[in-house]
Amino acid sequence: MNPLRRPFRELDAFLPQPGDYRFLPFRFMRWSGEETLVVNDVGQFLFLPTTVFQEFLERRLAPTTAEYLNLRAKHFLWDGASVAPLELLATQYRTKKSFLDGFTALHIFVVTLRCDHTCRYCQVSRVSENRQRFDMSPATASRAVDLVFRSPAPSLKVEFQGGEPLLAFDSIRSIVEHVEQRNRLEQRQVQFVVATNLSRITDEMLEFFGEHQVLISTSIDGPQELHNANRPNPERNSHQVTVANLRRVREALGQDRVSALMTTTSRSLAYPREIVREYAELGFDAIFVRSVSPYGFAAKTGEAYSYQAAEFVEFYKTALDEVIGVNRDGHALVEVYAQILLRKMLTPFPTGYVDLQSPAGTGIGAVVYNYDGDVYASDESRMLAEMGDKAFRLGNVHEHDYEEIFGGEVLHALVSGSVLETTPGCSDCAFLPYCGSDPIRNYATQGDVVGHRATSGFCVQHMGIIRHLFDLLRSQDPFVRDLLPSWAFGREPVLRRATPIQ
Amino acid sequence: MSIKLHARGVLAGTLTRPILGRILATPSADLDPADHVWLTSDLAAASGVGAFGAIATTERLTSEALEPWLRAGVPVVHSLDAADHLAPGDIVRLNEFGRLSTLYRGGSEHNSILLTEACNSYCLMCSQPPRLVEPRALVAEHLRLIELIDVPPATLGFTGGEPTLLGSDLLRLIRRCSERLPETKLHILTNGRLFYYESLAHDLAAINHPNLVLGIPLYSDVDFEHDFVVQASGAFDQTLIGLHNLGRWQVPIELRVVIHRLTYARLPQLADFICRNLPFVEQVSLMGLEPMGFAAGHLERLWMDPHDYRAELLEATAVLVNFGVGVAIFNHQLCVTPRELWPFCVKSISDWKNEYLPLCDGCAVRTDCGGFFSSSLRRRHSARIAPIVGPPQ
């Protein structure tokens, strides 16, 4: 009864007309051999034979070809009267830029400039331990905490840096307590972190950190000889002390509460594999292979210019290869720099890493309250001030209010100069959705916040690394093909894939 | 063994429209007789005339036996050709022609209410081909059915046709379930197209049903391929925007993909599309073809031996699970599914539809395997079915 008798239509009744497609925004890059890489505004990508790319550009690509279907599904072209591709792109774009939503989430308190180490690349222009006037006063801390809660971010991270912040442990304690007290009303998610060389850790401090769930971030540059050469402590063996205290901290707080960063110096460049193995031996599950920034003592000692970005890229590739080897041996070790980039390449999600964002996270993502109350958009701009150039000081907690600091001209110029989409060189680059901007570094090395791509070490470094990651994703080795995406997805691979991610 | 859902008998008394009732074997004082269909094998032994919704019996009754009941206005269907399939707690519909249909089986985990046979799509493999009927015609009956369910089941399905064609009445039905059966997982099969209108998505979310999932099919990452399979231009667009509207209001979604010759080739690309554009879905269900309805008529074009698409199935599942999207594989026999995927296979065919081959008797994993649709055994199944020998791993 009443069956619906409609004729069934064939596929060609649903196909768009050949040539009847328009382009959605994308950028491209000639790749090695006969391939061209296309990347859309939200980081979806395809490798096309260059001949096919040409057909695509000339609107000769037929709707029945696999490449047409892939380009359509990945939002490189649209055809017909549909609006769904625009909706989907819009959703991904909003998601990618959603790191802007909460505004400033990371609040760095430089509680003291005093330090017991004399690290060669120190960005802090540290002073020796004896000078108390380089500590943050309670009044300054209090005003800074007020500013922290002026941020709308639902999730706040308060990080203590220095010098060596544990030399001013009393400040840390009172700031943590003050923040928690305020937060009873504010009801945000708050996370505390202490960036420390661990030489001064005591049981009393560990107990406090345990009670308040404080995370520890320490520095380990590599095996003992290298670490001590980079990070000399005039009185003791830094590596030995750090490792011993690392054990103490893990026992007291738990393995997952401590992480480590490394900094690469010209001396480090010869030891990529040794550095990675040191991290594996020390039982870390993550290593962040970063280069040195050209500030502070780094500039004075010539560290900044002592190696070229290209050398760093080679160093990085070898280190990453060693990390993969460590994983192959059964030890789960993530390289964090790759993880951030891969997350941008393989998922629609944003990352919170302020140095790889457009606009840069300076001020709008992270802010620094110096021991003297001066407020800076980033560590780098604070460094610049220590070297005599206060161009990027946003204000002072005692003299300016929230609106003047975060709504002022200095921050505005900094942020608007770091939007890659409007930056010469970057705006045409296929890697734009993956990359970031370091406006202070541009200013320090090239004279203005926008900088000049052709001579930019930042550019060479990132292009080299991103290119390398693409090569690894397309590796013939299935272990590598599954391992790297698993870092982006934040979980172990469950099933082996047969084909590379395309 | 397929399960019987209908019986036919002789109706004494008149019905102007079908009535619904719960099967009752033993009347008791604390049960409202009006809600019940008393299933008896000896009507004459009744001690009085109760005000039942109806009486049902396999006996052939005389007019004398019927007389007191008819005078009391209680319809009686007698001379039923079968009654063994009926159990207390089942909910049946008795119509004007003496047909007693089981709408709900109290003892089953798989009950669905067919809301309407009207549909706005026309899928090439539709197992429930649409009819030209008024979508809202049976709403009163569905509301009554929900009321009659006495023991809240673990799950309840709404199917069709296309449930969203009931418009505001669909929302009424969901609300009624939310009120009477809040612990029951309500699983609604819909093509999602009408959620293109954001107000419908919003209004559905506003009901705040505590335990709801919408099962929405997506057959390709490319619009014209999907539109071809569902035989409706613009369906892909509408469904995608519908999915986004539902996602915006956090309505739980299960994406469903029926795998056949027209959908297998880009299965891995569809998986990637889902990760990239629809990462908020609760689960993706990858489903074998049921050769019923239109699928039977199009079998030569649609049928593909699951053994032949196992590579695409494995790759698509790998893409999804590695990303973090949950996957369930339905209606695939274990012997033709790659072993790595066995943890994702669900023994799922509704119990009134599934069966096994004789050669399955010796299979080591038979109890974990969903077996076949009855229609598959009749029409087409894999040529590679073979019992798994030895202990299951």
Side-chain angles (χ1 to χ4, degrees):
Chain A
M1 292 174 292
N2 304 328
L4 204 56
R5 285 194 210 289
R6 268 181 17 210
F8 289 96
R9 293 178 287 160
E10 283 302 331
L11 177 63
D12 53 17
F14 299 91
L15 284 175
Q17 290 302 311
D20 188 23
Y21 60 87
R22 283 158 289 177
F23 302 109
L24 289 168
F26 70 90
R27 300 173 183 85
F28 67 93
M29 183 182 290
R30 305 287 181 197
W31 207 255
S32 57
E34 308 289 304
E35 288 186 303
T36 301
L37 171 71
V38 292
V39 183
N40 72 10
D41 255 350
V42 296
Q44 291 181 278
F45 64 89
L46 275 169
F47 284 91
L48 297 172
T50 302
T51 46
V52 173
F53 177 61
Q54 205 63 38
E55 281 176 47
F56 168 54
L57 288 183
E58 293 170 13
R59 290 217 180 80
R60 291 186 293 116
L61 197 59
T64 44
T65 58
E67 288 93 351
Y68 184 99
L69 300 183
N70 291 337
L71 285 162
R72 199 198 183 287
K74 294 200 174 218
H75 313 312
F76 284 89
L77 62 83
W78 64 314
D79 51 34
S82 68
V83 291
L86 298 183
E87 269 295 318
L88 296 177
L89 258 184
T91 301
Q92 285 201 51
Y93 199 88
R94 269 198 300 277
T95 306
K96 284 283 181 187
K97 298 294 187 187
S98 63
F99 64 85
L100 295 166
D101 285 352
F103 205 60
T104 317
L106 173 58
H107 299 262
I108 299 172
F109 282 69
V110 178
V111 287
T112 181
L113 282 197
R114 294 181 291 125
C115 191
D116 59 349
H117 278 54
T118 54
C119 304
R120 296 183 50 80
Y121 47 77
C122 179
Q123 300 187 75
V124 174
S125 303
R126 58 191 141 56
V127 299
S128 72
E129 290 188 56
N130 302 317
R131 300 201 277 187
Q132 295 288 134
R133 68 187 177 94
F134 290 96
D135 285 13
M136 182 181 273
S137 73
T140 301
S142 174
R143 297 295 276 261
V145 170
D146 288 343
L147 287 172
V148 168
F149 284 103
R150 287 299 309 274
S151 166
S155 200
L156 296 166
K157 191 187 278 195
V158 173
E159 183 164 322
F160 298 100
Q161 290 183 6
E164 171 45 56
L166 294 187
L167 288 172
F169 175 70
D170 288 333
S171 286
I172 295 178
R173 188 194 352 239
S174 76
I175 292 169
V176 167
E177 285 167 353
H178 188 184
V179 166
E180 285 179 342
Q181 186 189 51
R182 275 292 296 271
N183 200 38
R184 268 180 234 131
L185 275 174
E186 295 274 348
Q187 291 293 303
R188 320 277 187 100
Q189 302 261 38
V190 178
Q191 176 73 67
F192 296 102
V193 185
V194 176
T196 166
N197 61 37
L198 285 182
S199 65
R200 297 284 161 157
I201 197 93
T202 66
D203 289 334
E204 182 202 359
M205 295 176 189
L206 285 172
E207 198 183 317
F208 181 81
F209 293 150
E211 265 167 39
H212 298 270
Q213 288 157 327
V214 179
L215 295 176
I216 306 292
S217 170
T218 190
S219 281
I220 294 184
D221 278 8
Q224 180 167 249
E225 213 183 293
L226 175 62
H227 177 101
N228 288 342
N230 277 352
R231 300 174 57 83
N233 178 329
E235 290 152 40
R236 308 190 278 177
N237 180 327
S238 170
H239 184 271
Q240 225 169 58
V241 171
T242 306
V243 170
N245 284 334
L246 178 65
R247 206 161 288 132
R248 269 175 82 189
V249 174
R250 279 174 170 165
E251 268 166 31
L253 304 181
Q255 183 95 352
D256 56 338
R257 305 246 108 205
V258 197
S259 61
L261 296 175
M262 52 131 339
T263 303
T264 311
T265 61
S266 55
R267 190 179 275 106
S268 313
L269 288 179
Y271 303 105
R273 297 192 185 275
E274 290 81 355
I275 294 169
V276 171
R277 264 180 272 154
E278 178 74 4
Y279 269 71
E281 268 154 46
L282 289 175
F284 286 107
D285 59 11
I287 178 172
F288 196 155
V289 179
R290 349 174 267 170
S291 61
V292 74
S293 304
Y295 309 108
F297 281 111
K300 285 188 195 161
T301 58
E303 276 296 331
Y305 307 98
S306 67
Y307 64 85
Q308 297 298 314
E311 283 181 66
F312 175 78
V313 173
E314 288 314 304
F315 165 84
Y316 179 85
K317 288 183 189 174
T318 311
L320 187 56
D321 186 67
E322 188 66 23
V323 170
I324 293 170
V326 165
N327 277 277
R328 231 188 273 273
D329 291 340
H331 177 133
L333 181 66
V334 175
E335 200 289 300
V336 178
Y337 201 25
Q339 179 181 49
I340 293 165
L341 288 166
L342 288 163
R343 191 170 156 90
K344 286 159 163 287
M345 289 153 76
L346 302 176
T347 81
F349 304 121
T351 60
Y353 185 56
V354 299
D355 292 345
L356 274 177
Q357 286 172 351
S358 170
T362 46
I364 64 174
V367 74
V368 178
Y369 307 101
N370 206 7
Y371 70 97
D372 58 6
D374 280 347
V375 184
Y376 295 94
S378 67
D379 239 15
E380 287 77 10
S381 35
R382 183 173 68 98
M383 294 307 77
L384 222 51
E386 296 288 338
M387 288 161 68
D389 186 347
K390 292 206 170 190
F392 300 102
R393 192 191 81 130
L394 300 181
N396 185 288
V397 303
H398 295 291
E399 293 157 33
H400 304 105
D401 61 24
Y402 180 82
E403 285 75 12
E404 286 168 309
I405 293 170
F406 288 92
E409 265 312 303
V410 175
L411 185 57
H412 189 265
L414 199 51
V415 172
S416 55
S418 71
V419 177
L420 296 185
E421 286 84 349
T422 60
T423 300
C426 299
S427 60
D428 300 319
C429 179
F431 292 161
L432 183 154
Y434 312 134
C435 203
S437 150
D438 194 344
I440 308 298
R441 177 177 170 149
N442 293 342
Y443 175 89
T445 58
Q446 296 181 314
D448 66 71
V449 295
V450 174
H452 182 53
R453 233 51 56 209
T455 56
S456 162
F458 182 96
C459 185
V460 169
Q461 179 179 318
H462 287 80
M463 289 200 69
I465 291 176
I466 294 170
R467 225 185 151 86
H468 183 62
L469 290 176
F470 270 116
D471 286 337
L472 289 177
L473 285 175
R474 307 171 83 206
S475 163
Q476 293 303 315
D477 181 347
F479 180 81
V480 175
R481 283 206 312 260
D482 286 337
L483 178 69
L484 262 57
S486 78
W487 293 348
F489 306 147
R491 59 188 60 239
E492 301 272 315
V494 178
L495 290 171
R496 170 95 338 127
R497 286 189 56 153
T499 58
I501 288 200
Q502 170 59 315
Chain B
M1 184 180 33
S2 307
I3 289 157
K4 199 166 172 51
L5 289 175
H6 304 282
R8 189 170 276 277
V10 176
L11 179 69
T14 46
L15 285 178
T16 48
R17 60 166 176 273
I19 55 162
L20 269 63
R22 205 183 295 128
I23 292 288
L24 178 68
T26 313
S28 100
D30 36 314
L31 291 174
D32 183 353
D35 286 343
H36 291 88
V37 172
W38 180 29
L39 182 67
T40 174
S41 48
D42 189 2
L43 188 59
S47 50
V49 172
F52 296 105
I55 311 280
T57 177
T58 49
E59 297 178 276
R60 183 199 300 275
L61 295 174
T62 61
S63 24
E64 290 99 305
L66 287 167
E67 206 255 321
W69 297 97
L70 298 182
R71 216 178 331 117
V74 178
V76 179
V77 58
H78 64 91
S79 310
L80 275 177
D81 57 5
D84 289 345
H85 61 288
L86 296 168
D90 288 359
I91 298 171
V92 295
R93 183 213 291 123
L94 176 64
N95 77 2
E96 311 89 292
F97 309 104
R99 188 171 156 91
L100 193 71
S101 305
T102 304
L103 298 183
Y104 179 90
R105 294 176 53 241
S108 171
E109 305 236 319
H110 306 285
N111 280 293
S112 284
I113 306 179
L114 179 64
L115 296 187
T116 177
E117 288 176 283
C119 192
N120 53 354
S121 289
Y122 204 56
C123 304
L124 292 174
M125 66 284 186
C126 182
S127 58
Q128 183 81 51
R131 293 205 289 129
L132 207 56
V133 291
E134 165 51 56
R136 299 184 190 231
L138 299 171
V139 170
E141 190 176 293
H142 302 321
L143 286 167
R144 178 79 176 127
L145 171 58
I146 294 166
E147 252 175 39
L148 286 172
I149 297 174
D150 51 353
V151 179
T155 66
L156 180 66
F158 280 179
T159 64
E162 175 46 49
T164 54
L165 292 177
L166 275 68
S168 56
D169 281 335
L170 174 64
L171 302 177
R172 271 174 83 193
L173 289 166
I174 297 171
R175 203 171 290 119
R176 181 66 60 93
C177 285
S178 184
E179 289 156 7
R180 285 191 51 89
L181 310 165
E183 314 264 290
T184 298
K185 177 169 177 166
L186 182 60
H187 186 241
I188 305 179
L189 294 183
T190 164
N191 58 36
R193 290 171 61 190
L194 281 173
F195 293 108
Y196 175 92
Y197 299 108
E198 203 196 330
S199 55
L200 185 62
H202 171 264
D203 292 346
L204 183 144
I207 297 170
N208 236 323
H209 189 292
N211 221 333
L212 176 70
V213 174
L214 301 192
I216 298 180
L218 195 64
Y219 298 118
S220 176
D221 60 335
V222 176
D223 62 343
F224 49 82
E225 287 197 350
H226 175 95
D227 288 356
F228 170 53
V229 171
V230 309
Q231 292 283 302
S233 293
F236 179 81
D237 265 30
Q238 293 155 15
T239 301
L240 276 176
I241 292 181
L243 285 165
H244 269 230
N245 287 337
L246 291 165
R248 189 170 289 133
W249 294 106
Q250 295 169 308
V251 177
I253 294 165
E254 170 213 8
L255 284 180
R256 294 159 72 90
V257 190
V258 177
I259 310 173
H260 52 61
R261 189 167 292 282
L262 301 179
T263 59
Y264 85 96
R266 284 188 73 84
L267 204 57
Q269 287 90 335
L270 173 57
D272 185 57
F273 180 87
I274 292 168
C275 295
R276 210 58 208 226
N277 295 285
L278 304 165
F280 50 85
V281 302
E282 302 255 303
Q283 173 176 300
V284 175
S285 298
L286 302 173
M287 322 192 52
L289 182 67
E290 184 178 0
M292 237 172 70
F294 287 159
H298 291 130
L299 209 50
E300 292 318 309
R301 289 193 65 174
L302 296 179
W303 170 258
M304 188 167 178
D305 194 318
H307 180 80
D308 294 340
Y309 61 65
R310 66 194 185 284
E312 285 82 2
L313 179 61
L314 181 53
E315 188 72 352
T317 307
V319 169
L320 289 164
V321 300
N322 289 355
F323 187 89
V325 177
V327 170
I329 297 174
F330 292 92
N331 313 336
H332 282 82
Q333 299 77 39
L334 293 179
C335 54
V336 294
T337 307
R339 201 169 277 241
E340 304 93 304
L341 296 183
W342 287 9
F344 303 97
C345 291
V346 176
K347 183 178 175 179
S348 65
I349 295 175
S350 304
D351 55 12
W352 56 276
K353 291 201 256 184
N354 67 349
E355 294 177 23
Y356 298 86
L357 284 172
L359 63 80
C360 296
D361 283 346
C363 180
V365 295
R366 183 194 156 125
T367 45
D368 293 323
C369 181
F372 301 84
F373 290 112
S374 311
S375 53
S376 301
L377 293 180
R378 267 200 316 280
R379 296 200 171 96
R380 194 75 63 93
H381 57 76
S382 172
R384 305 290 211 108
I385 301 295
I388 304 286
V389 174
Q393 257 113 49

